[in-house]
Amino acid sequence: MSGSGSSTVRRRTFVLGSAAGAASAALAGPLVGSAAAAGFGWSDDGSNYVVDTGASLVFKVSKTNGDLTSLVYKGTEYQGYGGKNSHVESGLGTSTVTIGQSGSTILVSVAYGTLKHYYAARSGENNVYLWTNKADTSVSATRYIVRVKAGLFLNDEPDSYTYTTGTVEASDVFAKSDGQTRSKHYSKLRVIDYDYLGWTTGSVGLWIVRSNHEKASGGPFYRSLLRHQSADGGGLYEILYYGENQTEDQRFGLQGPYVIAFTDGGAPSSQLYHANLTTSWADSLGISGYVGASGRGRVAGVGISGRNTAYAYTVGLANSAAQYWGSARSSDGWFSIAGVLPGTYTLTVFKGELAVHTGSVTVSAGATTTLNTIPIPSSNDPGNATAIWRIGDWNGTPSGFKNADLMTYAHPSDVRAASWTGNVVIGSGSETSAFPCYLWKDVNSGLLVYFKLTAAQAAAAHTLRIGVTTAYANGRPQITVNDTWTSAIPSPPTQPSTRSLTVGSYRGNNHTFTYSIPASAWLTDTSRYNVLKINVVSGSGTTSYLSAGTAIDAIDLLA
């Protein structure tokens, strides 16, 4: 897309939760007018229900399939590129579409088999509120996509720009002539990092304000496609479920509200953010699966002790039906997670993205479950162990390793990536920055780490640990020391089965491999370097960057 302006993402710093109101009677009867805003109401043009918010926004919903066919703000049409509408997934097909009004709210309801989808307009607002209830796998609904016409906004997120026709992987990772790569997968952001995303010209802003993702999967650190721009237009996504590099089973039920919001160029109102949104006005709309504030509870923690204050801590709640999370206060670890559906959840405390505590908590409707200070035993944090040497930090991410930052928005073959090969010398001062964040069987397997030991250290057996954040095609490390001792091939941990390292995500299931190295493996000459070789082994994968691989969290040799 071309034009002027910029794209913006708000970084998330507050607790995630839902403040939706209780479900009650269905919206019924013929529409009645509302005096809340001049022009507020709806009409039927034969093919679409036409909704006028009474502000500056008029939108149309197809009576045939529930697609959003028009999105006009201040007289300009924003909907549509490539002849496609905005819709759930790639469009639902023939559906039952109805409309109704309750006071200052108009609701369009779409039923397609077991899937229910909703659009709501509020009098005087330039917003479209959306909910999607996926009940089972009968419909492949994984997203809502707002398709925006070309030429309305400047693309200043070039790493999602897919205007080139050359591909370097599958049909969704593209290569420019200068060697840089592009893909809609390269979002950079984790779910916890943003409340909204979109574009602005400075005088007009178009945004998707995300839902609380309680029925999504993957947790707070999950990455998936968020937006893209190409020669014929742009797309803004609310991901309902995304299978790429997924660590959890799909959850079912109502997701929303998420909001298509227009502004006069600034950020959308903070009242729309998932942590603050009050939808008591939706209580009586009869939305399938809707659970309001009175049917939800809250979890509050007094604090978390045993933290490493150099890191941010996050508390997550998850069961098969829902997921939530909140940030722990840096001073004492206090946290609060509101809007939680009743049930028993696994509570996980994350140091960075590394789980260092798990427990259980039960939430009741209309009540707060208060937890005493949660102690993190020193042994739960691998970073507390005394090491002879360590590469990286135990934080559940490859942060600090070579190419780590680039890999959330580029393919490993990108010209901007530093060489994936190169050995590491302990004591050089650049151990972590010189060590590749990813290792592949067909690219840089056999990487060497050089280190010296004192006489006392060389006289003893030691444990080597390699922490990984994910793996592709069962790639896992096998080590050799001084070409004389080789470890057994470890069993592969459970990891996502889809692409990961090449589509902008290192997030999988953190796992630590341990190797007991006998004293006989070390050199007795303390002036010489011991040599650790790290190979990636697997019987799966193909070639190059789709060969078996793994992402590194930390490596250390324990004292």
Side-chain angles (χ1 to χ4, degrees):
M1 300 172 77
S2 62
S4 63
S6 63
S7 60
T8 303
V9 174
R10 177 184 182 272
R11 300 289 176 173
R12 181 188 186 281
T13 56
F14 299 104
V15 174
L16 181 144
S18 171
S24 58
L27 190 155
L31 294 187
V32 295
S34 170
F40 177 68
W42 69 278
S43 60
D44 183 340
D45 70 3
S47 300
N48 307 278
Y49 291 122
V50 183
V51 179
D52 189 331
T53 66
S56 300
L57 176 63
V58 178
F59 64 92
K60 297 181 181 181
V61 178
S62 167
K63 295 167 56 180
T64 301
N65 56 22
D67 284 3
L68 189 67
T69 60
S70 177
L71 199 59
V72 175
Y73 179 67
K74 293 187 175 180
T76 298
E77 176 67 76
Y78 285 83
Q79 150 59 38
Y81 70 80
K84 298 179 180 180
N85 297 323
S86 299
H87 41 209
V88 174
E89 193 56 13
S90 296
L92 294 177
T94 302
S95 305
T96 300
V97 184
T98 58
I99 192 167
Q101 182 173 338
S102 177
S104 297
T105 303
I106 295 172
L107 182 73
V108 180
S109 302
V110 182
Y112 180 80
T114 61
L115 185 137
K116 313 296 182 187
H117 180 70
Y118 305 90
Y119 301 90
R122 295 280 288 161
S123 178
E125 296 185 12
N126 292 312
N127 304 316
V128 183
Y129 297 85
L130 303 94
W131 292 261
T132 305
N133 188 337
K134 182 180 180 182
D136 52 44
T137 59
S138 62
V139 178
S140 179
T142 61
R143 67 182 183 181
Y144 190 91
I145 179 171
V146 181
R147 302 185 187 273
V148 184
K149 291 177 66 175
L152 298 175
F153 298 101
L154 172 71
N155 173 42
D156 68 348
E157 288 289 330
D159 295 300
S160 68
Y161 197 34
T162 57
Y163 60 87
T164 179
T165 57
T167 58
V168 294
E169 184 177 299
S171 59
D172 56 8
V173 181
F174 300 85
K176 292 178 61 180
S177 59
D178 63 2
Q180 293 190 13
T181 55
R182 301 288 188 265
S183 176
K184 64 183 180 181
H185 295 290
Y186 299 151
S187 66
K188 298 185 183 180
L189 299 175
R190 308 167 303 173
V191 178
I192 197 174
D193 293 330
Y194 70 97
D195 291 312
Y196 63 84
L197 53 95
W199 299 294
T200 178
T201 65
S203 58
V204 174
L206 172 55
W207 318 96
I208 281 278
V209 182
R210 75 167 175 85
S211 69
N212 69 350
H213 280 218
E214 69 181 0
K215 295 294 185 178
S217 299
F221 313 122
Y222 188 67
R223 284 181 168 88
S224 65
L225 63 164
L226 299 179
R227 61 184 171 187
H228 76 275
Q229 291 179 312
S230 58
D232 55 357
L236 296 176
Y237 297 88
E238 166 72 346
I239 296 299
L240 308 175
Y241 174 78
Y242 195 53
E244 197 84 74
N245 201 38
Q246 184 56 254
T247 59
E248 295 184 299
D249 291 336
Q250 186 170 4
R251 294 182 172 93
F252 299 102
L254 184 69
Q255 297 205 58
Y258 49 102
V259 187
I260 302 170
F262 280 92
T263 71
D264 289 334
S269 169
S270 61
Q271 294 179 351
L272 299 178
Y273 302 162
H274 54 82
N276 305 314
L277 181 61
T278 299
T279 51
S280 58
W281 51 264
D283 289 359
S284 61
L285 298 182
I287 293 172
S288 174
Y290 188 95
V291 178
S294 63
R296 296 171 178 269
R298 174 173 169 261
V299 177
V302 172
I304 303 170
S305 63
R307 294 172 299 118
N308 182 333
T309 56
Y311 297 89
Y313 282 71
T314 301
V315 179
L317 306 177
N319 61 21
S320 61
Q323 62 171 5
Y324 307 90
W325 53 84
S327 299
R329 192 160 61 191
S330 59
S331 60
D332 55 9
W334 176 90
F335 62 91
S336 175
I337 305 174
V340 180
L341 292 171
T344 298
Y345 294 85
T346 297
L347 182 151
T348 305
V349 178
F350 298 93
K351 168 198 171 186
E353 297 185 18
L354 183 67
V356 292
H357 169 81
T358 58
S360 181
V361 62
T362 298
V363 180
S364 300
T368 296
T369 301
T370 302
L371 304 177
N372 294 326
T373 297
I374 298 173
I376 307 297
S378 179
S379 59
N380 283 20
D381 183 346
N384 291 332
T386 301
I388 296 172
W389 53 260
R390 177 170 292 145
I391 304 174
D393 295 321
W394 289 96
N395 60 13
T397 81
S399 176
F401 285 91
K402 182 163 63 173
N403 293 327
D405 290 343
L406 180 65
M407 287 302 96
T408 62
Y409 61 94
H411 190 269
S413 65
D414 195 289
V415 69
R416 293 168 290 179
S419 172
W420 288 104
T421 58
N423 301 321
V424 174
V425 178
I426 301 298
S428 64
S430 60
E431 295 91 338
T432 302
S433 61
F435 198 104
C437 63
Y438 298 162
L439 299 177
W440 290 272
K441 184 177 180 181
D442 200 37
V443 176
N444 55 355
S445 184
L447 188 141
L448 304 179
V449 179
Y450 296 87
F451 60 96
K452 292 180 180 180
L453 297 176
T454 66
Q457 291 167 342
H462 296 284
T463 296
L464 181 87
R465 303 185 300 183
I466 300 179
V468 303
T469 67
T470 195
Y472 176 69
N474 288 329
R476 66 266 196 201
Q478 182 184 35
I479 66 168
T480 297
V481 178
N482 294 321
D483 288 330
T484 61
W485 181 87
T486 300
S487 72
I489 297 175
S491 298
T494 300
Q495 297 290 4
S497 59
T498 61
R499 293 177 299 168
S500 55
L501 308 182
T502 59
V503 290
S505 180
Y506 57 77
R507 180 75 274 129
N509 296 308
N510 288 97
H511 180 80
T512 301
F513 296 93
T514 59
Y515 309 85
S516 299
I517 304 174
S520 60
W522 311 124
L523 299 178
T524 57
D525 184 348
T526 59
S527 66
R528 296 175 59 195
Y529 283 101
N530 289 273
V531 182
L532 169 70
K533 179 185 289 186
I534 303 174
N535 290 306
V536 177
V537 295
S538 176
S540 304
T542 57
T543 60
S544 189
Y545 299 108
L546 289 178
S547 64
T550 192
I552 303 298
D553 178 11
I555 304 172
D556 56 21
L557 184 67
L558 300 185

